[in-house]
Amino acid sequence: MRDNAHNARIQPDDNFVRNFHRSCRIVDAHCDILVTLRETNCCLNEERTGGHLDLPRLVRGGVKVLFFAAFVRPYLPGGYLKRALELAATFYRETENNHDFLVPVFAWEDLLLALEQGKTASILTVEGGEALEGSIEVLHMLHHIGVRGLTLTWNYRNALGDGIAERDSRGGLTKFGKVVVREMNRLRMVVDVAHLSPAGFWDVLETSSAPVIASHCNSFQICPHPRNLSDEQVRAIAAAGGVIGVTFVPAFVCSTNPSLERVLDHIDHIVEVGGVDCVGLGSDFEGFDGFLPGLEDVTRLPHLTESLLKRGYAQHEVRKIMGDNFLRVLEEVLPASR
C-alpha cells in the first residue's frame, strides 16, 4: 500500500475514473493476439466470447499503444523464420484492414501520429531469437519489414543465449547474442530481456547502450516464479532507464490466489525497489490460458487505473505506470522518423 492515509481519502467516482483512464496514454508491452488470429483463423475486428483481446474490446479498454508479439514456438516444424514472417503478414493484414483504428509504428513520428488521431499505435515485435536462425542479416531484414523489438530468447537455449529454463547452466549471451544486442542498438530496436537466464540478463545490461525492457515480468520477491525478476534485476533495469511490464499471467502473479490486488502488490514492490519510472504494463493477453480475477480481459484495465488511484498513487504516477514510462523508452530507442 502506497500511503494508507492518502489512500483512505481517495475514492474516485466512476465518471472521474472513466475520464481519467481515457486521458492516459495506455501502453501494453506484450500480447500474443497474432498467434490467436493465426491459429483460429479469425480476424481482429471480430469480438469473441473467449480470450482476452480483440479490436472491439481493445478500443473499450483504451489501449493507445500495443506491442504485437510474433511468438515463434520452440521446436516448431517448418522453421522459425517462416513462422515469424507468417505472423508479420497477419500483423500487416490486420493493420491494413483496420486502418481506422490501428497504425503500424516504424518510428516515433508514427506513434505520435497515432496518438494524435486517436488510433492504437501498433508495434510489431518478435518473441524468440530463434527467428534469426543465427544470421545477423535476418535481423536486418526483420527490421526492414517493420519489426521494432526482439525478445532475445523464450525459455530455452538458442543461438543468442540461454533462456530461463536453462538457468542452472549459468550460461548467458553467446558471442552472436552480444552482436545482436549491439546491432539492435544501432538499428534502434527495443531489446527485451523477458525469458532470459539471469546470466543472459546481466550480459544484456552490460552490452546494451540503450535502455532495455522486460516486457512481461513481475517481482520474484512477491511471487518466486523463475520468470519474475529479483530486486537486484529491478534496480539494474531502473538504473539503465528501462521499464518492466507487470504481467497478468496468473502463475507469475501468485501461486495460490492470483488477483488484481496481487498485481498491485507487484507494482508497489517494484516501485519501492526501482522507483515509479521503471514500471509499466505487459499483460501477455492471449499468451496464457484462463483469466486473472479482476483483470479478465483488456476491457478491465480501467479497474487497474482505479485501483492504483485508490492505493494512493498520484495521477502523474498512474499515468507513468499505465503508459508514459514505456513511451519515454520508445522515444529514446525508436528512430525519430522513417
Side-chain angles (χ1 to χ4, degrees), residues 197-198 201-202 228-238 244:
S197 67
F201 173 94
W202 294 112
N228 289 337
L229 300 175
S230 69
D231 286 357
E232 187 179 10
Q233 289 174 309
V234 170
R235 280 190 285 269
I237 288 178
I244 299 157

Side-chain angles (χ1 to χ4, degrees), residues 163-215:
I164 192 63
E166 307 288 346
R167 62 190 180 281
D168 291 343
S169 72
R170 300 184 181 180
L173 291 186
T174 62
K175 289 182 180 179
F176 177 65
K178 293 179 181 179
V179 169
V180 167
V181 170
R182 295 189 187 103
E183 192 64 1
M184 288 179 68
N185 290 162
R186 188 187 72 81
L187 293 170
R188 305 190 74 83
M189 298 175 69
V190 178
V191 178
D192 183 5
V193 298
H195 291 283
L196 265 174
S197 67
F201 173 94
W202 294 112
D203 285 344
V204 170
L205 267 292
E206 182 179 332
T207 303
S208 180
S209 60
V212 304
I213 70 169
S215 62

